[in-house]
């Protein structure tokens, strides 16, 4: 059945429209988005698709193909978090209303191909597809970056996950064939052409299919540690420490853990800038070592990698990859691997073999090409 047909069988009438919003991978710039820093994600072809019909009685009915059972029924003027998946959708309606926008009810059916909990932002895809549909159906006239901000607020306040602005902006604002350079301080954006195939290259995503317990708490700790660092250094955010001043800044910090966090953020921002320069110069292969450096920094300084991610990176590099790193929040999820297109199969095979030898669950490996951001599909 199509999304529309399923919607009709659930709700007994046709949707007003169908919208899609993608998951993302982050090429470079990890954990910098809550430090006012730089990130560079691109949209995946995997999307959350939502069939939605406006309702003027204030009732919100939510259904996902991935969740058993009948639609969950809520009232838009009484939204409170439930702790379940519907918070990602209801939270967007809540955030829009809380910002003063006139949003009423809706019937919603969602089908997503974004793997959940894989560090590929299935949560942002869900939020952004909801925001775009409600924005159009209630004629709110909001811009993409504004929708991203409201979705972030939904995730931070309603869902209760203290995430930065990257995921939602990527899903809302990415464009086909480009990576999105985003300055998370002022949300200034630049679409950077990222056509790997034209250079005989390809980017593999390796979903380790593991998510380690306590990852949310660890995320919060890193975030708090970065804030401590900024505080001690007397800056608004770690973004304000120029790379040239890193050594002097580190000398002023006595806490070894804070020092490591600061070093990751400052060097990572620098890596994003270098990747931008290399892509502008058409020297795509040269970004490989920067990805690998980024992984070492996340593993050793930020300490958010895990055995599966390290194995993915090490194996890919030994099998001839140009660069590799974990992507997303860490403690599991996915790694990305830059390879010559001709070696993609060899590297994929090596990854599967290494995971089997290590006794790890088989990874899901797929090729990622920059896809379009959120859009109306019908
Ligand atoms: P990620 O964003 O990396 O995939 P998160 O933990 O941030 O991981 O978000 C995953 C959560 O989002 C799931 O646990 C679920 O609550 C919700 N979610 C994502 N996609 C769907 C879907 N298709 N149907 C229902 N809930 C979903
Ligand atoms: Mg998420």
């Amino acid at each position: 059945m199509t999304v529309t047909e399923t919607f009709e069988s659930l709700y007994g009438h046709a949707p007003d429209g169908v919208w899609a919003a993608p998951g993302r991978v982050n090429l470079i710039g990890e954990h910098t988005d809550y430090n006012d820093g730089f990130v560079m994600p691109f949209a995946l072809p995997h999307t959350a698709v939502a069939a939605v019909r406006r309702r003027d009685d204030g009732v919100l009915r939510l259904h996902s193909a991935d969740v058993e059972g009948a639609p969950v029924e809520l009232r838009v003027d009484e939204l409170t978090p439930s702790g379940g998946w519907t918070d990602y959708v209801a939270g967007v309606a809540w955030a829009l209303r809380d910002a003063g926008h006139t949003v009423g009810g809706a019937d919603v059916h969602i089908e997503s191909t974004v793997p959940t909990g894989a560090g590929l932002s299935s949560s942002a895809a869900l939020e952004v597809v909801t925001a775009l549909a409600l924005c159009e159906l209630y004629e709110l006239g909001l811009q993409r970056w504004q929708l991203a901000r409201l979705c972030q607020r939904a995730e931070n306040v309603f869902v209760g996950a203290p995430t930065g602005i990257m995921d939602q902006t990527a899903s809302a604002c990415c464009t086909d064939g480009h990576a999105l350079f985003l300055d998370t301080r002022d949300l200034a954006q630049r679409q950077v052409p990222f056509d790997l195939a034209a250079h005989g290259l390809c980017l593999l995503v390796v979903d380790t299919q593991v998510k380690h317990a306590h990852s949310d708490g660890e995320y919060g700790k890193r975030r708090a540690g970065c804030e401590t660092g900024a505080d001690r250094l007397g800056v608004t955010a770690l973004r304000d420490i120029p790379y040239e001043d890193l050594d002097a800044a580190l000398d002023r910090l006595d806490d070894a853990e804070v020092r490591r966090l600061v070093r990751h953020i400052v060097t990572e921002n620098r890596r994003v800038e270098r990747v931008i320069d290399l892509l502008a110069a058409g020297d795509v292969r040269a970004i490989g070592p920067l990805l690998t450096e980024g992984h070492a920094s996340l593993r050793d300084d930020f300490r958010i990698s895990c055995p599966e991610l390290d194995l993915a990176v090490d194996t890919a590099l030994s099998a001839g990859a140009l660069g590799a790193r974990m992507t997303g929040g860490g403690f599991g999820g996915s790694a990305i691997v830059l390879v010559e297109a001709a070696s993609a199969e060899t590297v994929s095979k090596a990854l599967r073999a290494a995971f089997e030898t290590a006794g790890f669950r088989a990874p899901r490996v797929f090729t990622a090409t920059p896809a379009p951001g959120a859009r109306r599909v019908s």
Side-chain angles (χ1 to χ4, degrees):
M1 276 210 284
T2 65
V3 176
T4 301
E5 285 164 356
T6 307
F7 181 99
E8 284 170 358
S9 73
L10 281 167
Y11 297 116
H13 47 222
D16 291 325
V18 178
W19 289 262
R24 59 99 190 96
V25 285
N26 189 20
L27 185 61
I28 190 83
E30 213 63 81
H31 284 258
T32 45
D33 69 339
Y34 52 83
N35 289 287
D36 280 3
F38 306 135
V39 295
M40 212 178 166
F42 66 84
L44 288 171
H46 307 65
T47 55
V49 173
V52 185
R53 178 176 170 122
R54 174 175 163 154
R55 295 176 64 106
D56 290 315
D57 59 358
V59 171
L60 196 55
R61 293 197 287 180
L62 308 177
H63 185 266
S64 163
D66 288 341
V67 183
E68 298 250 334
V72 173
E73 192 165 322
L74 307 164
R75 286 208 51 87
V76 279
D77 47 5
E78 294 169 0
L79 294 174
T80 49
S82 69
W85 76 272
T86 53
D87 287 354
Y88 293 92
V89 180
V92 171
W94 170 84
L96 284 164
R97 288 169 62 89
D98 197 58
H101 302 295
T102 308
V103 171
D107 286 338
V108 181
H109 167 65
I110 288 165
E111 292 184 13
S112 179
T113 55
V114 187
T116 56
L120 303 176
S121 248
S122 68
S123 60
L126 213 54
E127 292 152 5
V128 170
V129 79
T130 305
L132 189 62
L134 292 177
C135 180
E136 287 193 20
L137 290 175
Y138 283 95
E139 297 172 15
L140 304 179
L142 294 167
Q143 295 182 42
R144 295 299 177 102
W145 68 268
Q146 294 175 300
L147 293 181
R149 268 270 183 254
L150 289 162
C151 289
Q152 183 200 12
R153 185 137 196 279
E155 186 148 347
N156 290 171
V157 181
F158 202 83
V159 176
T163 54
I165 187 68
M166 170 173 69
D167 297 351
Q168 293 83 2
T169 309
S171 187
C173 302
C174 279
T175 57
D176 202 12
H178 295 81
L180 175 72
F181 171 58
L182 177 69
D183 179 338
T184 63
R185 168 157 280 170
D186 59 6
L187 299 190
Q189 304 184 0
R190 192 166 4 126
Q191 302 287 343
V192 180
F194 191 55
D195 183 358
L196 290 172
H199 290 87
L201 296 171
C202 111
L203 195 91
L204 301 176
V205 176
V206 185
D207 173 6
T208 64
Q209 305 211 62
V210 295
K211 187 178 167 87
H212 291 277
H214 311 306
S215 58
D216 293 351
E218 293 293 332
Y219 184 98
K221 274 195 223 162
R222 299 302 183 284
R223 198 171 170 143
C226 288
E227 276 161 23
T228 304
D231 234 35
R232 300 219 175 121
L233 293 168
V235 291
T236 307
L238 291 181
R239 140 72 175 281
D240 295 309
I241 308 293
Y243 180 71
E244 295 69 29
D245 297 351
L246 176 60
D247 288 340
L250 294 179
D251 284 344
R252 291 170 54 204
L253 297 167
D254 46 18
D255 183 316
E257 187 181 329
V258 173
R259 256 205 313 272
R260 283 192 281 96
L261 297 179
V262 169
R263 187 164 53 206
H264 168 71
I265 298 299
V266 175
T267 57
E268 186 77 351
N269 277 326
R270 176 71 172 169
R271 281 185 285 274
V272 179
E273 291 176 317
R274 289 174 64 197
V275 166
I276 298 272
D277 290 345
L278 289 168
L279 291 180
D283 197 359
V284 186
R285 282 175 178 73
I287 73 172
L290 290 168
L291 302 184
T292 307
E293 262 178 44
H295 184 75
S297 181
L298 290 162
R299 181 190 60 209
D300 303 334
D301 275 346
F302 225 62
R303 303 203 176 170
I304 56 168
S305 190
C306 65
E308 292 86 350
L309 288 168
D310 290 341
L311 182 67
V313 168
D314 294 344
T315 305
L317 293 172
S318 305
L322 298 164
R325 71 176 201 90
M326 54 155 284
T327 185
F331 304 106
S334 301
I336 53 172
V337 178
L338 182 70
V339 281
E340 300 289 346
S343 344
E345 198 41 52
T346 313
V347 172
S348 304
K349 272 193 194 139
L351 286 164
R352 278 189 277 269
F355 272 60
E356 194 179 340
T357 305
F360 294 155
R361 199 169 160 192
R364 274 176 15 102
V365 183
F366 61 90
T367 303
T369 348
R375 61 212 179 263
R376 187 173 187 148
V377 287
S378 70

